[in-house]
Amino acid sequence: MADKAYADKSVLVSTDWVIAHMGDTANVRLIESNEDVLLYGTGHIPGAVHIDWVNDLNDQLVRDYVGHERFAILCREKGIGNDTTVVFYGDKNNWWACYAFWVFKLYGHEKCVIMNGGRTKWLAEGREITTEVPNYPAASYTARSQDRSIRAFRDEVLAHQQAGRPLVDVRSPAEYDGTLLHMPAYPQEGALRGGHIPGARNIPWSRAAREDATFKSRTELEAIYLDEQGLDPNAETVAYCRIGERSSHSWFVLTYLLGFKNVRNYDGSWTEWGNLVGVPIEK
Amino acid sequence: MTLEAIAEEFADVDDETRLELLLDYAVRLPPLPPAYHALRDAGVNMIHECQSPVFMTVEVTGGTVHLYADVPREAPTPRSFVSILVRAFDGQPAHHVLEAPDDLLYRLGLTHLLGMQRIHGLSAIYRHTLSEVARQL
């Protein structure tokens, strides 16, 4: 029996699709986004540009994203116009690719897709990589101001929590329990208190990915998010992690693969909530 | 090459050049001698703060420091930093290594380049290396 299609199957492309469309550089731009800033330089898909989540997407002074004007400059420099189809891929189950995807959506970019399986699958298939950095003619780009409908701020999260609406904590179980103040491998990104936002369910982000770094099927995802965890696709839902990157992966899964109507990513996440004075915490 | 010379190499260059320098160090990490493969494969002397498997064995013999390290090529940033430490410390007198500055990552311009979120694994590698030297001295 054929598996049930994703709610929006237009946001995922295969490595074969990329092979077929990578030559169309006037309309398609491949973007590699990794955790490791040097990884792109060791070899990437021919024609792909690099966007780094720290240096390109985060403001270095204020804790926020770069702002729509600087975002527009970034796109122009990478030869991305408002109509360009941007194809994100990267390391670690497309974790950072989803984060970049979310930031592009925040600034209203319409045609965003993820290459299913990311860097891992591309390399596992023995496909070509290069260290040659492409140069594209500057494009014209107009970015909208941030789309707040996909981003949650702390006061909104507090109101959401107090109204008893669904929250999804996508960190590891030990972070959720408050045993650990950080991801096992990321010591100093902690907070002064451990635990989770009261009422949040713990669904680690990586449960949505298969061994080969592709997303699980819709049926498998529904078994986790709907049947096991009881989330409601029609309910306003907030996802969070530690700084908002893992939860952008879950935001992608809930919004596009499962068709949830209203999911927001709380990028302040635990590094904000666990440091706030006076907010409720549960262990 | 001394640590001072490496720091000089990283000073006064732009971020793009600094990334190229790091990549170059990542490529030049000497292969782990076969005698250490078993230790690495057994998960001994791994730096657990790093998200990628970073193996670093520090030995001090007759007052001289020896570093034996391995980091996957898929993790070029920690690999480059380990390569810098090997180049600067391997074969050096222990007392000299222990004079290395606490704020090395800052001096190399990496704090700003990598961002706060990515710098911590590297700090852990550095702390592990220096504390192992001090412990064995």
Side-chain angles (χ1 to χ4, degrees):
Chain A
M1 198 179 77
D3 207 311
K4 193 171 169 185
Y6 293 127
D8 181 353
K9 53 186 186 194
S10 70
V11 294
L12 276 184
V13 297
S14 64
T15 49
D16 283 333
W17 185 95
V18 168
I19 291 284
H21 293 85
M22 61 199 288
D24 184 12
T25 56
N27 299 301
V28 174
R29 185 70 65 250
L30 298 173
I31 296 178
E32 180 165 317
S33 272
N34 301 313
E35 186 190 36
D36 192 310
V37 67
L38 293 180
L39 195 54
Y40 170 86
T42 67
H44 52 264
I45 300 179
V49 296
H50 182 215
I51 288 189
D52 179 59
W53 60 282
V54 173
N55 296 310
D56 294 321
L57 299 178
N58 277 308
D59 190 284
Q60 298 304 310
L61 188 59
V62 178
R63 183 174 171 190
D64 204 343
Y65 300 98
V66 288
H68 70 280
E69 283 166 8
R70 270 178 55 206
F71 178 80
I73 293 170
L74 174 71
C75 288
R76 284 178 210 137
E77 286 174 356
K78 304 286 182 190
I80 297 167
N82 287 79
D83 281 335
T84 307
T85 297
V86 284
V87 183
F88 298 93
Y89 75 96
D91 62 354
K92 304 187 194 302
N93 299 337
N94 273 328
W95 168 0
W96 306 92
C98 286
Y99 189 46
F101 179 108
W102 180 74
V103 175
F104 268 66
K105 284 294 179 192
L106 200 58
Y107 289 115
H109 194 88
E110 210 168 311
K111 297 176 187 168
C112 298
V113 300
I114 297 272
M115 183 179 87
N116 203 5
R119 218 186 130 89
T120 306
K121 187 156 192 283
W122 184 270
L123 293 174
E125 290 170 350
R127 300 189 190 262
E128 185 190 355
I129 56 167
T130 178
T131 54
E132 198 181 308
V133 176
N135 245 317
Y136 297 107
S140 98
Y141 198 93
T142 316
R144 295 206 306 247
S145 48
Q146 286 189 11
D147 174 5
R148 296 288 179 89
S149 73
I150 61 169
R151 185 179 188 195
F153 292 87
R154 64 181 188 217
D155 293 342
E156 297 162 357
V157 176
L158 185 59
H160 186 89
Q161 183 270 328
Q162 286 172 344
R165 297 207 177 100
L167 282 149
V168 183
D169 184 321
V170 312
R171 297 173 301 159
S172 60
E175 290 171 279
Y176 175 83
D177 289 348
T179 321
L180 272 181
L181 281 169
H182 52 76
M183 253 171 121
Y186 295 75
Q188 271 79 314
E189 282 178 47
L192 291 176
R193 291 290 183 275
H196 55 266
I197 302 178
R201 292 163 192 287
N202 185 213
I203 318 175
W205 72 283
S206 55
R207 290 189 65 192
R210 292 199 180 107
E211 281 281 304
D212 69 352
T214 60
F215 290 102
K216 285 181 180 163
S217 72
R218 182 159 183 188
T219 308
E220 290 170 304
L221 294 172
E222 285 184 347
I224 297 168
Y225 293 92
L226 306 186
D227 305 342
E228 179 194 306
Q229 297 290 335
L231 291 179
D232 173 2
N234 294 309
E236 271 180 53
T237 305
V238 169
Y240 72 94
C241 56
R242 164 189 56 121
I243 55 169
E245 17 63 75
R246 284 175 281 176
S247 46
S248 60
H249 189 275
S250 299
W251 167 83
F252 179 85
V253 169
L254 294 173
T255 302
Y256 295 99
L257 305 187
L258 292 177
F260 276 50
K261 303 270 184 305
N262 184 347
V263 185
R264 283 179 298 163
N265 183 20
Y266 171 38
D267 58 278
S269 276
W270 198 254
T271 51
E272 177 171 79
W273 195 272
N275 284 312
L276 281 175
V277 176
V279 296
I281 288 175
E282 200 170 76
K283 270 191 188 277
Chain B
M1 202 168 176
T2 64
L3 198 56
E4 291 75 20
I6 293 172
E8 258 175 55
E9 191 182 28
F10 277 83
D12 303 324
V13 294
D14 60 18
D15 283 348
E16 205 171 316
T17 313
R18 208 167 268 140
L19 286 173
E20 282 167 18
L21 278 173
L22 283 174
L23 258 184
D24 201 38
Y25 274 103
V27 170
R28 289 186 290 156
L29 177 67
L32 184 68
Y36 291 85
H37 286 192
L39 266 184
R40 176 198 60 192
D41 298 343
V44 178
N45 291 341
M46 303 302 286
I47 307 212
H48 296 289
E49 287 88 344
C50 291
Q51 205 206 10
S52 306
V54 171
F55 170 80
M56 169 78 90
T57 291
V58 180
E59 291 175 3
V60 182
T61 45
T64 300
V65 172
H66 294 286
L67 301 184
Y68 303 99
D70 201 13
V71 186
R73 288 182 190 276
E74 298 73 51
T77 298
R79 190 175 160 90
S80 66
F81 184 61
V82 165
S83 173
I84 286 171
L85 296 184
V86 168
R87 196 154 282 252
F89 295 156
D90 190 55
Q92 294 293 313
H95 65 85
H96 181 69
V97 170
L98 289 176
E99 285 164 7
D102 288 339
D103 58 350
L104 175 65
L105 289 161
Y106 176 78
R107 290 190 193 206
L108 292 174
L110 302 186
T111 320
H112 140 80
L113 184 66
L114 302 176
M116 288 311 289
Q117 295 100 329
R118 280 195 287 225
I119 211 76
H120 301 302
L122 304 191
S123 300
I125 296 170
Y126 193 50
R127 280 196 313 274
H128 170 83
T129 308
L130 294 185
S131 64
E132 271 300 297
V133 173
R135 190 181 64 81
Q136 293 180 39
L137 196 61

